[in-house]
PDB file of all heavy atoms in Angstrom:
ATOM      1  N   LEU A   1      78.817  -5.206  98.764  1.00  0.00           N
ATOM      2  CA  LEU A   1      79.015  -5.868 100.043  1.00  0.00           C
ATOM      3  C   LEU A   1      77.659  -6.056 100.692  1.00  0.00           C
ATOM      4  O   LEU A   1      76.828  -5.126 100.670  1.00  0.00           O
ATOM      5  CB  LEU A   1      79.900  -4.966 100.913  1.00  0.00           C
ATOM      6  CG  LEU A   1      80.588  -5.551 102.112  1.00  0.00           C
ATOM      7  CD1 LEU A   1      81.592  -6.614 101.672  1.00  0.00           C
ATOM      8  CD2 LEU A   1      81.324  -4.459 102.870  1.00  0.00           C
ATOM      9  N   ILE A   2      77.414  -7.230 101.255  1.00  0.00           N
ATOM     10  CA  ILE A   2      76.169  -7.479 101.977  1.00  0.00           C
ATOM     11  C   ILE A   2      76.493  -8.181 103.297  1.00  0.00           C
ATOM     12  O   ILE A   2      77.571  -8.760 103.453  1.00  0.00           O
ATOM     13  CB  ILE A   2      75.164  -8.341 101.171  1.00  0.00           C
ATOM     14  CG1 ILE A   2      75.724  -9.731 100.904  1.00  0.00           C
ATOM     15  CG2 ILE A   2      74.732  -7.646  99.897  1.00  0.00           C
ATOM     16  CD1 ILE A   2      74.684 -10.728 100.403  1.00  0.00           C
ATOM     17  N   VAL A   3      75.559  -8.100 104.217  1.00  0.00           N
ATOM     18  CA  VAL A   3      75.626  -8.856 105.461  1.00  0.00           C
ATOM     19  C   VAL A   3      74.354  -9.682 105.521  1.00  0.00           C
ATOM     20  O   VAL A   3      73.255  -9.138 105.447  1.00  0.00           O
ATOM     21  CB  VAL A   3      75.740  -7.942 106.695  1.00  0.00           C
ATOM     22  CG1 VAL A   3      75.739  -8.771 107.971  1.00  0.00           C
ATOM     23  CG2 VAL A   3      76.989  -7.082 106.611  1.00  0.00           C
ATOM     24  N   ARG A   4      74.529 -10.967 105.638  1.00  0.00           N
ATOM     25  CA  ARG A   4      73.403 -11.907 105.667  1.00  0.00           C
ATOM     26  C   ARG A   4      73.318 -12.527 107.068  1.00  0.00           C
ATOM     27  O   ARG A   4      74.339 -12.914 107.639  1.00  0.00           O
ATOM     28  CB  ARG A   4      73.620 -12.993 104.625  1.00  0.00           C
ATOM     29  CG  ARG A   4      72.515 -14.006 104.550  1.00  0.00           C
ATOM     30  CD  ARG A   4      72.772 -15.039 103.482  1.00  0.00           C
ATOM     31  NE  ARG A   4      72.777 -14.403 102.175  1.00  0.00           N
ATOM     32  CZ  ARG A   4      73.517 -14.796 101.153  1.00  0.00           C
ATOM     33  NH1 ARG A   4      74.317 -15.824 101.270  1.00  0.00           N
ATOM     34  NH2 ARG A   4      73.474 -14.180 100.006  1.00  0.00           N
ATOM     35  N   ILE A   5      72.102 -12.605 107.591  1.00  0.00           N
ATOM     36  CA  ILE A   5      71.885 -13.281 108.867  1.00  0.00           C
ATOM     37  C   ILE A   5      71.533 -14.728 108.564  1.00  0.00           C
ATOM     38  O   ILE A   5      70.576 -15.010 107.849  1.00  0.00           O
ATOM     39  CB  ILE A   5      70.767 -12.608 109.675  1.00  0.00           C
ATOM     40  CG1 ILE A   5      71.155 -11.170 110.018  1.00  0.00           C
ATOM     41  CG2 ILE A   5      70.467 -13.409 110.945  1.00  0.00           C
ATOM     42  CD1 ILE A   5      70.069 -10.367 110.701  1.00  0.00           C
ATOM     43  N   VAL A   6      72.348 -15.648 109.092  1.00  0.00           N
ATOM     44  CA  VAL A   6      72.148 -17.083 108.878  1.00  0.00           C
ATOM     45  C   VAL A   6      72.181 -17.766 110.244  1.00  0.00           C
ATOM     46  O   VAL A   6      73.241 -17.858 110.861  1.00  0.00           O
ATOM     47  CB  VAL A   6      73.246 -17.681 107.964  1.00  0.00           C
ATOM     48  CG1 VAL A   6      73.024 -19.165 107.761  1.00  0.00           C
ATOM     49  CG2 VAL A   6      73.309 -16.955 106.639  1.00  0.00           C
ATOM     50  N   GLY A   7      71.027 -18.213 110.711  1.00  0.00           N
ATOM     51  CA  GLY A   7      70.967 -18.855 112.017  1.00  0.00           C
ATOM     52  C   GLY A   7      71.401 -17.892 113.107  1.00  0.00           C
ATOM     53  O   GLY A   7      70.806 -16.841 113.294  1.00  0.00           O
ATOM     54  N   GLN A   8      72.474 -18.235 113.818  1.00  0.00           N
ATOM     55  CA  GLN A   8      73.021 -17.410 114.899  1.00  0.00           C
ATOM     56  C   GLN A   8      74.259 -16.647 114.451  1.00  0.00           C
ATOM     57  O   GLN A   8      75.113 -16.328 115.270  1.00  0.00           O
ATOM     58  CB  GLN A   8      73.408 -18.299 116.090  1.00  0.00           C
ATOM     59  CG  GLN A   8      72.245 -18.809 116.891  1.00  0.00           C
ATOM     60  CD  GLN A   8      71.626 -17.725 117.744  1.00  0.00           C
ATOM     61  OE1 GLN A   8      70.480 -17.359 117.525  1.00  0.00           O
ATOM     62  NE2 GLN A   8      72.354 -17.214 118.690  1.00  0.00           N
ATOM     63  N   ALA A   9      74.386 -16.386 113.162  1.00  0.00           N
ATOM     64  CA  ALA A   9      75.604 -15.748 112.657  1.00  0.00           C
ATOM     65  C   ALA A   9      75.291 -14.643 111.658  1.00  0.00           C
ATOM     66  O   ALA A   9      74.238 -14.629 111.024  1.00  0.00           O
ATOM     67  CB  ALA A   9      76.494 -16.796 111.993  1.00  0.00           C
ATOM     68  N   LEU A  10      76.258 -13.744 111.545  1.00  0.00           N
ATOM     69  CA  LEU A  10      76.250 -12.733 110.496  1.00  0.00           C
ATOM     70  C   LEU A  10      77.351 -13.117 109.520  1.00  0.00           C
ATOM     71  O   LEU A  10      78.466 -13.407 109.937  1.00  0.00           O
ATOM     72  CB  LEU A  10      76.558 -11.349 111.075  1.00  0.00           C
ATOM     73  CG  LEU A  10      75.689 -10.865 112.221  1.00  0.00           C
ATOM     74  CD1 LEU A  10      76.179  -9.508 112.706  1.00  0.00           C
ATOM     75  CD2 LEU A  10      74.247 -10.786 111.792  1.00  0.00           C
ATOM     76  N   GLU A  11      77.032 -13.137 108.248  1.00  0.00           N
ATOM     77  CA  GLU A  11      78.026 -13.432 107.225  1.00  0.00           C
ATOM     78  C   GLU A  11      78.215 -12.193 106.367  1.00  0.00           C
ATOM     79  O   GLU A  11      77.255 -11.648 105.834  1.00  0.00           O
ATOM     80  CB  GLU A  11      77.589 -14.598 106.345  1.00  0.00           C
ATOM     81  CG  GLU A  11      77.571 -15.918 107.060  1.00  0.00           C
ATOM     82  CD  GLU A  11      77.183 -17.087 106.158  1.00  0.00           C
ATOM     83  OE1 GLU A  11      76.833 -16.849 104.979  1.00  0.00           O
ATOM     84  OE2 GLU A  11      77.224 -18.214 106.644  1.00  0.00           O
ATOM     85  N   VAL A  12      79.453 -11.754 106.247  1.00  0.00           N
ATOM     86  CA  VAL A  12      79.798 -10.615 105.399  1.00  0.00           C
ATOM     87  C   VAL A  12      80.278 -11.191 104.072  1.00  0.00           C
ATOM     88  O   VAL A  12      81.196 -12.019 104.035  1.00  0.00           O
ATOM     89  CB  VAL A  12      80.892  -9.745 106.048  1.00  0.00           C
ATOM     90  CG1 VAL A  12      81.227  -8.566 105.147  1.00  0.00           C
ATOM     91  CG2 VAL A  12      80.457  -9.277 107.432  1.00  0.00           C
ATOM     92  N   LEU A  13      79.637 -10.764 102.980  1.00  0.00           N
ATOM     93  CA  LEU A  13      79.927 -11.319 101.659  1.00  0.00           C
ATOM     94  C   LEU A  13      80.178 -10.205 100.651  1.00  0.00           C
ATOM     95  O   LEU A  13      79.533  -9.164 100.691  1.00  0.00           O
ATOM     96  CB  LEU A  13      78.748 -12.158 101.159  1.00  0.00           C
ATOM     97  CG  LEU A  13      78.304 -13.302 102.055  1.00  0.00           C
ATOM     98  CD1 LEU A  13      76.867 -13.667 101.767  1.00  0.00           C
ATOM     99  CD2 LEU A  13      79.199 -14.484 101.842  1.00  0.00           C
ATOM    100  N   GLU A  14      81.106 -10.467  99.743  1.00  0.00           N
ATOM    101  CA  GLU A  14      81.333  -9.585  98.602  1.00  0.00           C
ATOM    102  C   GLU A  14      80.570 -10.181  97.423  1.00  0.00           C
ATOM    103  O   GLU A  14      80.662 -11.376  97.165  1.00  0.00           O
ATOM    104  CB  GLU A  14      82.826  -9.525  98.294  1.00  0.00           C
ATOM    105  CG  GLU A  14      83.168  -8.585  97.175  1.00  0.00           C
ATOM    106  CD  GLU A  14      84.657  -8.553  96.919  1.00  0.00           C
ATOM    107  OE1 GLU A  14      85.358  -7.777  97.582  1.00  0.00           O
ATOM    108  OE2 GLU A  14      85.103  -9.349  96.067  1.00  0.00           O
ATOM    109  N   ILE A  15      79.832  -9.339  96.719  1.00  0.00           N
ATOM    110  CA  ILE A  15      79.026  -9.773  95.571  1.00  0.00           C
ATOM    111  C   ILE A  15      79.647  -9.186  94.307  1.00  0.00           C
ATOM    112  O   ILE A  15      79.886  -7.982  94.224  1.00  0.00           O
ATOM    113  CB  ILE A  15      77.568  -9.277  95.692  1.00  0.00           C
ATOM    114  CG1 ILE A  15      76.957  -9.698  97.033  1.00  0.00           C
ATOM    115  CG2 ILE A  15      76.723  -9.753  94.530  1.00  0.00           C
ATOM    116  CD1 ILE A  15      76.821 -11.162  97.238  1.00  0.00           C
ATOM    117  N   ARG A  16      79.900 -10.055  93.324  1.00  0.00           N
ATOM    118  CA  ARG A  16      80.462  -9.637  92.033  1.00  0.00           C
ATOM    119  C   ARG A  16      79.725 -10.363  90.922  1.00  0.00           C
ATOM    120  O   ARG A  16      79.203 -11.458  91.141  1.00  0.00           O
ATOM    121  CB  ARG A  16      81.937 -10.010  91.940  1.00  0.00           C
ATOM    122  CG  ARG A  16      82.834  -9.233  92.859  1.00  0.00           C
ATOM    123  CD  ARG A  16      84.285  -9.642  92.650  1.00  0.00           C
ATOM    124  NE  ARG A  16      85.170  -8.799  93.411  1.00  0.00           N
ATOM    125  CZ  ARG A  16      85.727  -7.692  92.968  1.00  0.00           C
ATOM    126  NH1 ARG A  16      85.485  -7.284  91.744  1.00  0.00           N
ATOM    127  NH2 ARG A  16      86.521  -6.986  93.730  1.00  0.00           N
ATOM    128  N   PRO A  17      79.729  -9.807  89.715  1.00  0.00           N
ATOM    129  CA  PRO A  17      79.162 -10.550  88.593  1.00  0.00           C
ATOM    130  C   PRO A  17      79.964 -11.828  88.368  1.00  0.00           C
ATOM    131  O   PRO A  17      81.188 -11.843  88.510  1.00  0.00           O
ATOM    132  CB  PRO A  17      79.333  -9.599  87.402  1.00  0.00           C
ATOM    133  CG  PRO A  17      79.538  -8.255  88.001  1.00  0.00           C
ATOM    134  CD  PRO A  17      80.186  -8.474  89.339  1.00  0.00           C
ATOM    135  N   ALA A  18      79.272 -12.897  88.019  1.00  0.00           N
ATOM    136  CA  ALA A  18      79.954 -14.158  87.726  1.00  0.00           C
ATOM    137  C   ALA A  18      80.793 -13.975  86.467  1.00  0.00           C
ATOM    138  O   ALA A  18      80.312 -13.457  85.457  1.00  0.00           O
ATOM    139  CB  ALA A  18      78.941 -15.276  87.538  1.00  0.00           C
ATOM    140  N   TRP A  19      82.028 -14.379  86.507  1.00  0.00           N
ATOM    141  CA  TRP A  19      82.935 -14.135  85.386  1.00  0.00           C
ATOM    142  C   TRP A  19      82.584 -14.983  84.165  1.00  0.00           C
ATOM    143  O   TRP A  19      82.872 -14.610  83.051  1.00  0.00           O
ATOM    144  CB  TRP A  19      84.383 -14.370  85.792  1.00  0.00           C
ATOM    145  CG  TRP A  19      84.708 -15.801  86.103  1.00  0.00           C
ATOM    146  CD1 TRP A  19      84.553 -16.432  87.292  1.00  0.00           C
ATOM    147  CD2 TRP A  19      85.235 -16.780  85.198  1.00  0.00           C
ATOM    148  NE1 TRP A  19      84.931 -17.749  87.207  1.00  0.00           N
ATOM    149  CE2 TRP A  19      85.363 -17.987  85.916  1.00  0.00           C
ATOM    150  CE3 TRP A  19      85.604 -16.762  83.865  1.00  0.00           C
ATOM    151  CZ2 TRP A  19      85.844 -19.158  85.340  1.00  0.00           C
ATOM    152  CZ3 TRP A  19      86.085 -17.931  83.298  1.00  0.00           C
ATOM    153  CH2 TRP A  19      86.210 -19.112  84.037  1.00  0.00           C
ATOM    154  N   ASN A  20      81.946 -16.129  84.373  1.00  0.00           N
ATOM    155  CA  ASN A  20      81.593 -16.981  83.241  1.00  0.00           C
ATOM    156  C   ASN A  20      80.113 -17.310  83.204  1.00  0.00           C
ATOM    157  O   ASN A  20      79.706 -18.224  82.509  1.00  0.00           O
ATOM    158  CB  ASN A  20      82.403 -18.284  83.279  1.00  0.00           C
ATOM    159  CG  ASN A  20      82.095 -19.109  84.522  1.00  0.00           C
ATOM    160  OD1 ASN A  20      81.428 -18.635  85.435  1.00  0.00           O
ATOM    161  ND2 ASN A  20      82.587 -20.323  84.550  1.00  0.00           N
ATOM    162  N   GLY A  21      79.324 -16.564  83.932  1.00  0.00           N
ATOM    163  CA  GLY A  21      77.898 -16.855  83.998  1.00  0.00           C
ATOM    164  C   GLY A  21      77.075 -16.001  83.059  1.00  0.00           C
ATOM    165  O   GLY A  21      77.580 -15.177  82.304  1.00  0.00           O
ATOM    166  N   ALA A  22      75.794 -16.227  83.134  1.00  0.00           N
ATOM    167  CA  ALA A  22      74.849 -15.458  82.336  1.00  0.00           C
ATOM    168  C   ALA A  22      74.771 -14.032  82.878  1.00  0.00           C
ATOM    169  O   ALA A  22      75.066 -13.793  84.053  1.00  0.00           O
ATOM    170  CB  ALA A  22      73.476 -16.117  82.404  1.00  0.00           C
ATOM    171  N   PRO A  23      74.381 -13.081  82.030  1.00  0.00           N
ATOM    172  CA  PRO A  23      74.217 -11.708  82.510  1.00  0.00           C
ATOM    173  C   PRO A  23      73.253 -11.681  83.705  1.00  0.00           C
ATOM    174  O   PRO A  23      72.220 -12.338  83.701  1.00  0.00           O
ATOM    175  CB  PRO A  23      73.631 -10.967  81.312  1.00  0.00           C
ATOM    176  CG  PRO A  23      74.067 -11.776  80.134  1.00  0.00           C
ATOM    177  CD  PRO A  23      74.112 -13.201  80.607  1.00  0.00           C
ATOM    178  N   GLY A  24      73.629 -10.945  84.726  1.00  0.00           N
ATOM    179  CA  GLY A  24      72.805 -10.858  85.928  1.00  0.00           C
ATOM    180  C   GLY A  24      73.152 -11.894  86.988  1.00  0.00           C
ATOM    181  O   GLY A  24      72.730 -11.790  88.125  1.00  0.00           O
ATOM    182  N   GLU A  25      73.930 -12.907  86.627  1.00  0.00           N
ATOM    183  CA  GLU A  25      74.347 -13.930  87.579  1.00  0.00           C
ATOM    184  C   GLU A  25      75.492 -13.381  88.428  1.00  0.00           C
ATOM    185  O   GLU A  25      76.373 -12.695  87.916  1.00  0.00           O
ATOM    186  CB  GLU A  25      74.805 -15.172  86.823  1.00  0.00           C
ATOM    187  CG  GLU A  25      74.881 -16.416  87.668  1.00  0.00           C
ATOM    188  CD  GLU A  25      75.184 -17.644  86.815  1.00  0.00           C
ATOM    189  OE1 GLU A  25      74.639 -17.746  85.701  1.00  0.00           O
ATOM    190  OE2 GLU A  25      75.974 -18.469  87.280  1.00  0.00           O
ATOM    191  N   THR A  26      75.467 -13.661  89.726  1.00  0.00           N
ATOM    192  CA  THR A  26      76.493 -13.129  90.615  1.00  0.00           C
ATOM    193  C   THR A  26      77.220 -14.243  91.373  1.00  0.00           C
ATOM    194  O   THR A  26      76.740 -15.368  91.453  1.00  0.00           O
ATOM    195  CB  THR A  26      75.888 -12.164  91.652  1.00  0.00           C
ATOM    196  OG1 THR A  26      74.906 -12.853  92.420  1.00  0.00           O
ATOM    197  CG2 THR A  26      75.266 -10.954  90.993  1.00  0.00           C
ATOM    198  N   THR A  27      78.369 -13.863  91.912  1.00  0.00           N
ATOM    199  CA  THR A  27      79.176 -14.749  92.743  1.00  0.00           C
ATOM    200  C   THR A  27      79.309 -14.111  94.111  1.00  0.00           C
ATOM    201  O   THR A  27      79.529 -12.898  94.213  1.00  0.00           O
ATOM    202  CB  THR A  27      80.582 -14.926  92.124  1.00  0.00           C
ATOM    203  OG1 THR A  27      80.451 -15.479  90.825  1.00  0.00           O
ATOM    204  CG2 THR A  27      81.447 -15.823  92.975  1.00  0.00           C
ATOM    205  N   GLU A  28      79.177 -14.921  95.151  1.00  0.00           N
ATOM    206  CA  GLU A  28      79.331 -14.437  96.521  1.00  0.00           C
ATOM    207  C   GLU A  28      80.655 -14.937  97.080  1.00  0.00           C
ATOM    208  O   GLU A  28      80.920 -16.136  97.064  1.00  0.00           O
ATOM    209  CB  GLU A  28      78.189 -14.925  97.397  1.00  0.00           C
ATOM    210  CG  GLU A  28      76.838 -14.413  96.966  1.00  0.00           C
ATOM    211  CD  GLU A  28      75.705 -14.944  97.825  1.00  0.00           C
ATOM    212  OE1 GLU A  28      75.935 -15.830  98.681  1.00  0.00           O
ATOM    213  OE2 GLU A  28      74.577 -14.463  97.641  1.00  0.00           O
ATOM    214  N   LEU A  29      81.473 -14.019  97.551  1.00  0.00           N
ATOM    215  CA  LEU A  29      82.767 -14.360  98.136  1.00  0.00           C
ATOM    216  C   LEU A  29      82.711 -14.073  99.632  1.00  0.00           C
ATOM    217  O   LEU A  29      82.530 -12.925 100.039  1.00  0.00           O
ATOM    218  CB  LEU A  29      83.879 -13.529  97.491  1.00  0.00           C
ATOM    219  CG  LEU A  29      83.953 -13.618  95.970  1.00  0.00           C
ATOM    220  CD1 LEU A  29      84.870 -12.547  95.419  1.00  0.00           C
ATOM    221  CD2 LEU A  29      84.423 -14.986  95.566  1.00  0.00           C
ATOM    222  N   PRO A  30      82.855 -15.097 100.479  1.00  0.00           N
ATOM    223  CA  PRO A  30      82.777 -14.874 101.921  1.00  0.00           C
ATOM    224  C   PRO A  30      83.971 -14.082 102.432  1.00  0.00           C
ATOM    225  O   PRO A  30      85.107 -14.294 102.006  1.00  0.00           O
ATOM    226  CB  PRO A  30      82.772 -16.284 102.508  1.00  0.00           C
ATOM    227  CG  PRO A  30      83.093 -17.211 101.412  1.00  0.00           C
ATOM    228  CD  PRO A  30      83.036 -16.486 100.122  1.00  0.00           C
ATOM    229  N   ILE A  31      83.702 -13.152 103.333  1.00  0.00           N
ATOM    230  CA  ILE A  31      84.741 -12.308 103.911  1.00  0.00           C
ATOM    231  C   ILE A  31      84.896 -12.573 105.399  1.00  0.00           C
ATOM    232  O   ILE A  31      85.998 -12.751 105.881  1.00  0.00           O
ATOM    233  CB  ILE A  31      84.429 -10.819 103.662  1.00  0.00           C
ATOM    234  CG1 ILE A  31      84.499 -10.533 102.176  1.00  0.00           C
ATOM    235  CG2 ILE A  31      85.358  -9.921 104.451  1.00  0.00           C
ATOM    236  CD1 ILE A  31      84.066  -9.152 101.799  1.00  0.00           C
TER     237      ILE A  31
END
């Protein structure tokens, strides 16, 4: 889980490995 500051907002995101990507590649799911 990460919190990213973007402009005037905080975005809470879940980070997971990409299911069909290269090793080390991740997917961000907005929460």
Side-chain angles (χ1 to χ4, degrees):
L1 197 64
I2 63 167
V3 177
R4 181 179 296 148
I5 297 174
V6 180
Q8 286 286 115
L10 305 177
E11 291 182 355
V12 180
L13 303 157
E14 183 179 274
I15 306 296
R16 291 182 173 269
W19 67 274
N20 63 350
E25 197 173 320
T26 59
T27 300
E28 297 178 352
L29 305 168
I31 294 174

